[in-house]
PDB file of all heavy atoms in Angstrom:
ATOM      1  N   GLU B 281     -11.663 -36.638   1.116  1.00  0.00           N
ATOM      2  CA  GLU B 281     -10.613 -37.478   1.635  1.00  0.00           C
ATOM      3  C   GLU B 281      -9.700 -36.564   2.584  1.00  0.00           C
ATOM      4  O   GLU B 281      -9.259 -35.492   2.200  1.00  0.00           O
ATOM      5  CB  GLU B 281      -9.756 -38.041   0.507  1.00  0.00           C
ATOM      6  CG  GLU B 281      -8.704 -38.974   0.941  1.00  0.00           C
ATOM      7  CD  GLU B 281      -9.242 -40.383   1.208  1.00  0.00           C
ATOM      8  OE1 GLU B 281      -9.713 -41.032   0.247  1.00  0.00           O
ATOM      9  OE2 GLU B 281      -9.187 -40.800   2.410  1.00  0.00           O
ATOM     10  N   HIS B 282      -9.590 -37.087   3.735  1.00  0.00           N
ATOM     11  CA  HIS B 282      -8.715 -36.381   4.838  1.00  0.00           C
ATOM     12  C   HIS B 282      -9.269 -34.997   5.141  1.00  0.00           C
ATOM     13  O   HIS B 282      -8.502 -34.195   5.727  1.00  0.00           O
ATOM     14  CB  HIS B 282      -7.247 -36.175   4.331  1.00  0.00           C
ATOM     15  CG  HIS B 282      -6.521 -37.416   3.927  1.00  0.00           C
ATOM     16  ND1 HIS B 282      -6.513 -38.590   4.673  1.00  0.00           N
ATOM     17  CD2 HIS B 282      -6.008 -37.763   2.705  1.00  0.00           C
ATOM     18  CE1 HIS B 282      -5.857 -39.509   4.017  1.00  0.00           C
ATOM     19  NE2 HIS B 282      -5.510 -39.063   2.855  1.00  0.00           N
ATOM     20  N   ASP B 283     -10.453 -34.708   4.651  1.00  0.00           N
ATOM     21  CA  ASP B 283     -11.076 -33.382   4.867  1.00  0.00           C
ATOM     22  C   ASP B 283     -10.093 -32.308   4.273  1.00  0.00           C
ATOM     23  O   ASP B 283      -9.924 -31.268   4.829  1.00  0.00           O
ATOM     24  CB  ASP B 283     -11.381 -33.058   6.344  1.00  0.00           C
ATOM     25  CG  ASP B 283     -12.177 -31.797   6.510  1.00  0.00           C
ATOM     26  OD1 ASP B 283     -12.994 -31.445   5.646  1.00  0.00           O
ATOM     27  OD2 ASP B 283     -11.949 -31.043   7.557  1.00  0.00           O
ATOM     28  N   LEU B 284      -9.510 -32.647   3.192  1.00  0.00           N
ATOM     29  CA  LEU B 284      -8.440 -31.797   2.725  1.00  0.00           C
ATOM     30  C   LEU B 284      -8.854 -31.130   1.297  1.00  0.00           C
ATOM     31  O   LEU B 284      -9.282 -31.893   0.433  1.00  0.00           O
ATOM     32  CB  LEU B 284      -7.201 -32.699   2.465  1.00  0.00           C
ATOM     33  CG  LEU B 284      -5.931 -31.981   2.176  1.00  0.00           C
ATOM     34  CD1 LEU B 284      -5.552 -30.938   3.284  1.00  0.00           C
ATOM     35  CD2 LEU B 284      -4.732 -32.939   1.989  1.00  0.00           C
ATOM     36  N   LEU B 285      -8.759 -29.887   1.244  1.00  0.00           N
ATOM     37  CA  LEU B 285      -8.835 -29.190  -0.013  1.00  0.00           C
ATOM     38  C   LEU B 285      -7.520 -28.538  -0.260  1.00  0.00           C
ATOM     39  O   LEU B 285      -7.053 -27.631   0.533  1.00  0.00           O
ATOM     40  CB  LEU B 285     -10.003 -28.082   0.139  1.00  0.00           C
ATOM     41  CG  LEU B 285     -10.192 -27.222  -1.094  1.00  0.00           C
ATOM     42  CD1 LEU B 285     -10.756 -27.992  -2.278  1.00  0.00           C
ATOM     43  CD2 LEU B 285     -11.102 -26.127  -0.766  1.00  0.00           C
ATOM     44  N   VAL B 286      -6.901 -28.871  -1.305  1.00  0.00           N
ATOM     45  CA  VAL B 286      -5.531 -28.311  -1.576  1.00  0.00           C
ATOM     46  C   VAL B 286      -5.584 -27.202  -2.618  1.00  0.00           C
ATOM     47  O   VAL B 286      -6.155 -27.447  -3.701  1.00  0.00           O
ATOM     48  CB  VAL B 286      -4.599 -29.553  -2.069  1.00  0.00           C
ATOM     49  CG1 VAL B 286      -3.254 -28.986  -2.425  1.00  0.00           C
ATOM     50  CG2 VAL B 286      -4.500 -30.623  -1.126  1.00  0.00           C
ATOM     51  N   LEU B 287      -5.051 -26.131  -2.132  1.00  0.00           N
ATOM     52  CA  LEU B 287      -4.955 -24.998  -3.029  1.00  0.00           C
ATOM     53  C   LEU B 287      -3.443 -24.798  -3.443  1.00  0.00           C
ATOM     54  O   LEU B 287      -2.602 -24.586  -2.603  1.00  0.00           O
ATOM     55  CB  LEU B 287      -5.488 -23.733  -2.477  1.00  0.00           C
ATOM     56  CG  LEU B 287      -5.027 -22.401  -3.168  1.00  0.00           C
ATOM     57  CD1 LEU B 287      -5.781 -22.302  -4.472  1.00  0.00           C
ATOM     58  CD2 LEU B 287      -5.423 -21.225  -2.231  1.00  0.00           C
ATOM     59  N   ARG B 288      -3.204 -24.973  -4.799  1.00  0.00           N
ATOM     60  CA  ARG B 288      -1.765 -24.731  -5.162  1.00  0.00           C
ATOM     61  C   ARG B 288      -1.722 -23.436  -5.905  1.00  0.00           C
ATOM     62  O   ARG B 288      -2.553 -23.105  -6.818  1.00  0.00           O
ATOM     63  CB  ARG B 288      -1.236 -25.856  -5.955  1.00  0.00           C
ATOM     64  CG  ARG B 288      -2.018 -26.406  -7.138  1.00  0.00           C
ATOM     65  CD  ARG B 288      -1.562 -27.728  -7.517  1.00  0.00           C
ATOM     66  NE  ARG B 288      -2.544 -28.434  -8.264  1.00  0.00           N
ATOM     67  CZ  ARG B 288      -2.535 -28.418  -9.619  1.00  0.00           C
ATOM     68  NH1 ARG B 288      -1.659 -27.826 -10.334  1.00  0.00           N
ATOM     69  NH2 ARG B 288      -3.491 -29.191 -10.255  1.00  0.00           N
ATOM     70  N   PHE B 289      -0.782 -22.660  -5.632  1.00  0.00           N
ATOM     71  CA  PHE B 289      -0.651 -21.276  -6.105  1.00  0.00           C
ATOM     72  C   PHE B 289       0.867 -21.146  -6.466  1.00  0.00           C
ATOM     73  O   PHE B 289       1.610 -20.761  -5.531  1.00  0.00           O
ATOM     74  CB  PHE B 289      -1.127 -20.294  -5.036  1.00  0.00           C
ATOM     75  CG  PHE B 289      -1.362 -18.923  -5.609  1.00  0.00           C
ATOM     76  CD1 PHE B 289      -2.663 -18.638  -6.033  1.00  0.00           C
ATOM     77  CD2 PHE B 289      -0.413 -18.037  -5.645  1.00  0.00           C
ATOM     78  CE1 PHE B 289      -2.943 -17.307  -6.495  1.00  0.00           C
ATOM     79  CE2 PHE B 289      -0.646 -16.749  -6.135  1.00  0.00           C
ATOM     80  CZ  PHE B 289      -1.890 -16.398  -6.623  1.00  0.00           C
ATOM     81  N   TYR B 290       1.163 -21.504  -7.657  1.00  0.00           N
ATOM     82  CA  TYR B 290       2.555 -21.556  -8.070  1.00  0.00           C
ATOM     83  C   TYR B 290       3.342 -22.473  -7.143  1.00  0.00           C
ATOM     84  O   TYR B 290       3.094 -23.581  -7.068  1.00  0.00           O
ATOM     85  CB  TYR B 290       3.186 -20.200  -8.194  1.00  0.00           C
ATOM     86  CG  TYR B 290       2.427 -19.314  -9.264  1.00  0.00           C
ATOM     87  CD1 TYR B 290       1.576 -18.368  -9.007  1.00  0.00           C
ATOM     88  CD2 TYR B 290       2.728 -19.663 -10.561  1.00  0.00           C
ATOM     89  CE1 TYR B 290       0.963 -17.632  -9.979  1.00  0.00           C
ATOM     90  CE2 TYR B 290       2.090 -18.857 -11.607  1.00  0.00           C
ATOM     91  CZ  TYR B 290       1.185 -17.928 -11.291  1.00  0.00           C
ATOM     92  OH  TYR B 290       0.560 -17.178 -12.281  1.00  0.00           O
ATOM     93  N   ARG B 291       4.235 -21.902  -6.335  1.00  0.00           N
ATOM     94  CA  ARG B 291       5.059 -22.771  -5.396  1.00  0.00           C
ATOM     95  C   ARG B 291       4.484 -22.711  -3.987  1.00  0.00           C
ATOM     96  O   ARG B 291       5.148 -23.244  -3.090  1.00  0.00           O
ATOM     97  CB  ARG B 291       6.486 -22.395  -5.490  1.00  0.00           C
ATOM     98  CG  ARG B 291       6.808 -20.950  -5.090  1.00  0.00           C
ATOM     99  CD  ARG B 291       8.284 -20.602  -5.459  1.00  0.00           C
ATOM    100  NE  ARG B 291       8.786 -19.346  -4.890  1.00  0.00           N
ATOM    101  CZ  ARG B 291       9.284 -19.226  -3.710  1.00  0.00           C
ATOM    102  NH1 ARG B 291       9.488 -20.326  -2.965  1.00  0.00           N
ATOM    103  NH2 ARG B 291       9.615 -18.043  -3.310  1.00  0.00           N
ATOM    104  N   MET B 292       3.348 -22.140  -3.821  1.00  0.00           N
ATOM    105  CA  MET B 292       2.785 -22.046  -2.545  1.00  0.00           C
ATOM    106  C   MET B 292       1.598 -23.071  -2.511  1.00  0.00           C
ATOM    107  O   MET B 292       0.761 -23.119  -3.441  1.00  0.00           O
ATOM    108  CB  MET B 292       2.271 -20.648  -2.352  1.00  0.00           C
ATOM    109  CG  MET B 292       1.903 -20.222  -0.860  1.00  0.00           C
ATOM    110  SD  MET B 292       1.289 -18.515  -0.933  1.00  0.00           S
ATOM    111  CE  MET B 292       2.767 -17.586  -0.732  1.00  0.00           C
TER     112      MET B 292
END
Side-chain angles (χ1 to χ4, degrees):
Chain B
E281 185 79 67
H282 307 303
D283 188 32
L284 192 60
L285 176 70
V286 178
L287 165 66
R288 52 197 159 94
F289 197 89
Y290 297 106
R291 60 192 188 90
M292 198 179 269

